[in-house]
Amino acid sequence: MGFVPFAPERAPIDRAALTAALEGANLPSLVAVLYQLTGDRRWLADPYRPTRSRGMEDNDPGGFPPEIRAEIRAAAADAVCAWAAGAPVAVPSPTGADLAEIMSLAVGEDVPLEYADMTAEDMGFAPVEVRRAPPGALRAIVIGAGVSGMLAAIRLAEAGIEHVVLEKNADVGGTWLENAYPGAGVDTPSHLYSYSFAPRDWTTHFGKRDEVWEYLRAVADRHDLRERIRFGTEVVSATWADGCWTVRTAGGEELTAEVVITATGQLNRPRIPPVPGLDRFRGPLFHTAEWPADLDLTGKRVVVIGTGASAMQVVPAVAERVAHLTVFQRSPQWVAPNEVYFSPVAEGARYLIEHVPYYRLWYRTRLAWNTNDRVHPGLQKDPAWQHPDRSVNALNDGHRRVFTRYLEAELAGRPDLVAKALPDYPPFGKRMLLDNGWFAALRRENVTLLTEAVTEVTETGVRGADGAEVEADVVILATGFHTHRVLWPIEVRGRSGRRIDEVWGPEDAHAHLGITVPDFPNLFLTCGPGTVLGHGGSYITIAECQVRYIVDLLVTMAEQGIGAVEVRPEVEADYVRRHDEAHEAMIWTHPGMRNWYRNAAGRVVSALPWRIVDYWRMTREPDLRDYRIDPGNGDGAGYSAEPAFQSAQLSSQSP
Ligand code: NAP
C-alpha cells in the first residue's frame, strides 16, 4: 500500500546498499540521526552544522565541503550498521531543550524552545496519550470523508466513540477525489502532507493527485474506515433539539446522534462566476473540480478563466497538446520557484526513509520547519514601513525582489508577458503559488495571456471587455470555490432554531478556535473559519490539532457524563476579536489585492492568523471552563435510550 513504518524495525542491513543510499542522503537530516544514534556531541557543532535552507529548498548537501560530507556518510554507515546489529540508541526520545538543540542542528539555525513539544509529539518522542471513552455514552455523525473526516473517524475509533461518516461522493478523498484535472497535485511537500501516523513511501516530492488519492484510500483501508462510511449520502440539514442532533440526508433519511463533526472543507463547492451566457456555450464548459473523465483536449482551442492554484496546474499540464490555449487573467499571481517540484524522490532517499532510524522523522521535521511558520513574521505589517503599497515590511519587500527576479528571468525576452504577469500587490497577499511550469507555458507560441475582464460567454467562445471574442472548443472555469460560505449548503440549526448562516451573517463565519460556535451545542467543525493555512505548512497538521481537541473533549464529556457542551459566547467573542485584530496587523487585509481568505466586507474569514505552533498550543487541551455544560445524569438521561448503534445504522429512519 506504499506505507513505510513510522520507525524502522531493527533488522540486518546490507552495508553496500546502505552506503549507496547514503549518497542520496539529505545530510542535514543525517547529522541529526548520527547524533541520536551515537550521542557524540561533536556532531552538534561545526563543522557538522549545516547551513540553513533558503526558502523551501531541501539543501541536501547541507553546505558541507566534500570531505565533511564523506565523513558524515561514513560515520552514518557505521552507526546504522551498529544499530542494526543491536547497539542501543544513545538519544532515543529527546524532548524539550534537548530536542530543540538537535532541531537547531538539523535546520542550521536556532529553533526556539517553544517548538520542541509540538515536534516531540509529531516525531513520536512524546506521543499523545490515547484516552478511551466509556462505551456507549456518546455517538457522533461525521459529515465528509476527506482528509479531516477520515482523521476524525480514525481518532473516534481509537477513543471508542461510536460514529458513522456520511459522504456525498462514492469514495473517500474529498478534494482529492473531486479535483482530477490534469496536473492536480499538492504544493506542500508530500512527506509533510501526510498524516503524522501514516507515513508513505512517496515517489515524488510533491505528490500528484492520483498518488495522494491512492494514499488516502490506503489509509481508509488500513483503518477499516469504509465500513463506517455511508457513501452517496449527502447531508442537507442538521438540527439540534432535545439534546440531540437530527441529520437529514438528500435521500430523506434521518439519523440522530449527540455529536456532529463537520469535515466538509472550505474548497468544496465550486464557484461559478456570474458571467452571462455560461449556458449558451455549445462545447464542454466546466469547473476544474468537475473535470469530465473522458475529455480529450488534443488539438482543441481552449479557454481557461482564472489564474489561481488550479489554473496554474492545469495550464502547463495541457498546453502542449491543445491547438491553442487562452488564459483570462483577472489578477496576476506571485509565483515561487521550487527545485524539486517535479523530481522523483531518489531511490537512495527512499531506502533511507524505510531503513534508517529517525531519518524520515528528521526529513519531515526539516520540511515542517522550512515551510510552517518561518514566513509568518514576514507577513506582519510594519507601521513604519516606507513602501506599504508594494510590501508590508522589509522582509516581505525582500521576497518581492526575489520573486520579481525569478519572474523576469523566466519571462526574459517577453516584456509583454512581464508587464501582464508581474503583480503590484505584496507577495503572499494571495495564496503563494509554486512554479510548476507556469511561466514556461506562458512563453509557448500556442498560449495567450489576456488581462481583459470576461464579459460574456457566447455559443462559440468567450468575449473579453475589449469586445473581441476568443473562439473556443472548450471553456474551463478555474474560478475557485465558495470558501466563505462555511458548511453551505447544509442547513444547520442550533439550540435557538436559528440557521448558522443567519448567526454568522452572509459569508462571515467565525468560531472559537475555528471549531465551536455558541448556540450550536456539540457541533464541531474541522477546517472551520480562520483555520486555513495562508502562510505555509500542511493543512493536515491543522486537522490533527482540531481532531485531537474535539475527540479529547468528547472523551471528557463521556467520562463526566456531560450531555452537551456549548462554547460560551464571551469566549468565542474574545477569540474572534483576537483573530480579527491579528489579521488587521497581517498581510491579508492589505487593500492591494483580492484573495479568497477575506470576504467582500474585508474581514478575513478563512485564513489562520496565528503561527502553527500557536494554534497547536491553543488546541492542545480543551478547557471545560470555555463551555456551558448541559449535565447528563450519568445514566444516560439526555441521550437516546437506544443501545449502541451498529455501524451505518445510526438511529436511522427512512422517510
Ligand atoms: P482561486 O485561487 O480562488 O482562483 C480563482 C481564480 O479565478 C482567480 O485567478 C480569480 O481572479 C479568478 N476569477 C474568479 N472569478 C472570476 C471572474 N468572474 N472573471 C475572471 N476571473 C475570475 O481558486 P483555485 O485556483 O481553484 O484555488 C483555490 C485554492 O485551492 C488554492 O488557493 C489552494 O488553497 C487550493 N489549491 C491547491 C492546489 C495545490 O496544492 N497545488 C491546487 C489547486 C487548488 P482573482 O485572483 O482576481 O480573484
Side-chain angles (χ1 to χ4, degrees):
M1 292 290 202
F3 293 115
V4 287
F6 186 85
E9 298 274 327
R10 228 183 260 270
I13 201 158
D14 176 346
R15 188 175 180 112
L18 172 65
T19 303
L22 285 168
E23 288 302 313
N26 177 263
L27 292 178
S29 302
L30 201 61
V31 275
V33 171
L34 249 182
Y35 173 66
Q36 274 200 263
L37 290 181
T38 63
D40 185 341
R41 291 192 64 81
R42 83 190 160 106
W43 298 116
L44 291 172
D46 286 337
Y48 308 109
R49 199 177 150 93
T51 52
R52 77 193 281 272
S53 294
R54 280 173 304 135
M56 287 173 70
E57 72 174 8
D58 269 5
N59 191 18
D60 283 349
F64 297 120
E67 65 279 9
I68 299 294
R69 288 183 224 162
E71 189 186 343
I72 292 170
R73 289 192 177 105
D78 288 345
V80 174
C81 287
W83 167 81
V89 173
V91 188
S93 299
T95 55
D98 294 339
L99 181 58
E101 184 180 30
I102 313 174
M103 288 174 74
S104 300
L105 168 76
V107 303
E109 60 186 322
D110 284 346
V111 173
L113 184 57
E114 63 179 326
Y115 280 87
D117 288 349
M118 178 172 81
T119 306
E121 192 179 288
D122 190 71
M123 296 182 85
F125 299 151
V128 181
E129 180 202 352
V130 176
R131 295 171 61 215
R132 284 190 65 85
L138 288 175
R139 305 161 308 166
I141 294 173
V142 180
I143 305 176
V147 165
S148 310
M150 289 173 54
L151 178 63
I154 290 167
R155 295 303 192 209
L156 287 167
E158 284 171 0
I161 296 172
E162 298 178 64
H163 59 280
V164 64
V165 183
L166 306 181
E167 167 54 56
K168 68 176 166 26
N169 293 322
D171 205 342
V172 298
T175 200
W176 295 108
L177 166 69
E178 293 176 9
N179 285 273
Y181 57 79
V186 294
D187 58 8
T188 303
S190 289
H191 293 93
L192 190 60
Y193 194 85
S194 309
Y195 296 114
S196 60
F197 53 88
R200 177 183 167 86
D201 174 23
W202 292 102
T203 62
T204 56
H205 288 280
F206 289 85
K208 285 294 166 203
R209 177 264 184 188
D210 286 354
E211 188 171 4
V212 179
W213 190 38
E214 182 188 317
Y215 167 70
L216 293 173
R217 288 157 72 203
V219 170
D221 291 341
R222 190 191 236 195
H223 291 269
D224 298 324
L225 294 188
R226 289 169 201 284
E227 62 192 42
R228 314 197 300 274
I229 302 174
R230 294 175 53 168
F231 293 106
T233 304
E234 178 157 7
V235 170
V236 293
S237 70
T239 308
W240 173 264
D242 302 327
C244 211
W245 283 99
T246 299
V247 170
R248 208 157 52 80
T249 71
E253 214 177 341
E254 284 187 352
L255 298 91
T256 58
E258 292 76 28
V259 174
V260 165
I261 299 173
T262 65
T264 49
Q266 287 194 32
L267 300 165
N268 184 250
R269 301 286 171 170
R271 197 156 61 84
I272 308 300
V275 177
L278 288 175
D279 53 356
R280 209 185 299 157
F281 186 66
R282 286 208 207 111
L285 179 152
F286 51 86
H287 187 273
T288 41
E290 293 165 344
W291 195 275
D294 52 359
L295 183 73
D296 181 6
L297 291 179
T298 309
K300 298 276 185 349
R301 297 164 305 168
V302 178
V303 164
V304 173
I305 301 177
T307 51
S310 299
M312 196 138 300
Q313 293 186 326
V314 168
V315 167
V318 304
E320 220 168 276
R321 80 179 90 122
V322 301
H324 198 91
L325 200 158
T326 305
V327 181
F328 276 91
Q329 168 188 283
R330 189 164 70 175
S331 319
Q333 292 276 1
W334 285 109
V335 180
N338 190 284
E339 55 180 1
V340 295
Y341 188 83
F342 285 116
S343 310
V345 181
E347 283 302 318
R350 291 172 69 178
Y351 178 95
L352 300 178
I353 282 171
E354 186 161 356
H355 297 286
V356 170
Y358 308 112
Y359 180 84
R360 180 191 69 79
L361 294 174
W362 281 111
Y363 184 67
R364 175 175 159 102
T365 292
R366 277 178 46 78
L367 289 175
W369 177 256
N370 288 338
T371 64
N372 278 2
D373 288 341
R374 217 157 61 143
V375 153
H376 195 269
L379 307 187
Q380 310 301 316
K381 292 174 189 161
D382 175 357
W385 178 237
Q386 298 290 313
H387 309 286
D389 49 334
R390 68 174 196 219
S391 49
V392 293
N393 57 41
L395 195 57
N396 188 233
D397 210 50
H399 283 131
R400 178 183 195 96
R401 283 195 297 278
V402 170
F403 300 147
T404 302
R405 272 201 300 273
Y406 177 66
L407 178 146
E408 287 173 346
E410 285 293 305
L411 298 177
R414 292 292 305 271
D416 57 324
L417 284 178
V418 172
K420 289 176 179 175
L422 187 63
D424 57 4
Y425 59 87
F428 292 94
K430 289 174 179 286
R431 185 181 182 281
M432 270 312 291
L433 302 178
L434 292 188
D435 186 10
N436 56 356
W438 173 249
F439 293 126
L442 294 188
R443 287 196 312 263
R444 292 179 62 90
E445 280 189 0
N446 69 337
V447 174
T448 306
L449 182 66
L450 296 180
T451 52
E452 14 274 336
V454 174
T455 54
E456 174 187 27
V457 174
T458 65
E459 288 184 2
T460 50
V462 177
R463 198 182 304 284
D466 61 353
E469 180 184 339
V470 178
E471 292 193 352
D473 305 307
V474 178
V475 175
I476 300 168
L477 305 176
T479 45
F481 298 85
H482 283 287
T483 48
H484 304 139
R485 304 186 71 179
V486 178
L487 300 184
W488 176 79
I490 303 172
E491 192 180 288
V492 182
R493 288 184 189 275
R495 188 188 290 278
S496 68
R498 291 177 75 204
R499 284 202 328 258
I500 202 162
D501 55 324
E502 291 169 347
V503 171
W504 281 335
E507 308 208 340
D508 200 12
H510 45 82
H512 178 55
L513 302 170
I515 296 176
T516 77
V517 186
D519 198 37
F520 294 84
N522 290 5
L523 174 73
F524 302 104
L525 282 66
T526 61
C527 200
T531 66
V532 161
L533 286 175
H535 68 277
S538 164
Y539 168 67
I540 295 181
T541 309
I542 296 298
E544 292 201 21
C545 290
Q546 295 172 340
V547 169
R548 177 181 58 178
Y549 176 95
I550 294 165
V551 174
D552 207 21
L553 184 53
L554 296 183
V555 172
T556 300
M557 288 169 64
E559 281 175 350
Q560 299 189 14
I562 294 171
V565 292
E566 180 183 339
V567 68
R568 294 179 183 280
E570 65 276 17
V571 169
E572 196 241 11
D574 181 58
Y575 179 84
V576 175
R577 181 187 54 75
R578 287 185 288 118
H579 167 281
D580 290 355
E581 275 175 16
H583 271 308
E584 277 308 316
M586 283 190 82
I587 192 164
W588 300 304
T589 46
H590 188 283
M593 71 281 149
R594 237 186 314 260
N595 60 45
W596 64 257
Y597 302 144
R598 72 171 182 240
N599 64 16
R603 179 176 171 270
V604 177
V605 177
S606 303
L608 183 77
W610 330 112
R611 298 174 307 167
I612 292 175
V613 70
D614 299 323
Y615 191 70
W616 176 84
R617 188 169 302 104
M618 288 175 190
T619 53
R620 193 176 188 186
E621 208 175 329
D623 186 344
L624 274 185
R625 289 170 302 182
D626 291 343
Y627 290 89
R628 287 187 352 207
I629 291 176
D630 281 359
N633 65 8
D635 62 5
Y639 302 129
S640 149
E642 295 163 53
F645 63 87
Q646 302 297 308
S647 321
Q649 292 177 0
L650 181 67
S651 309
S652 166
Q653 291 175 357
S654 290

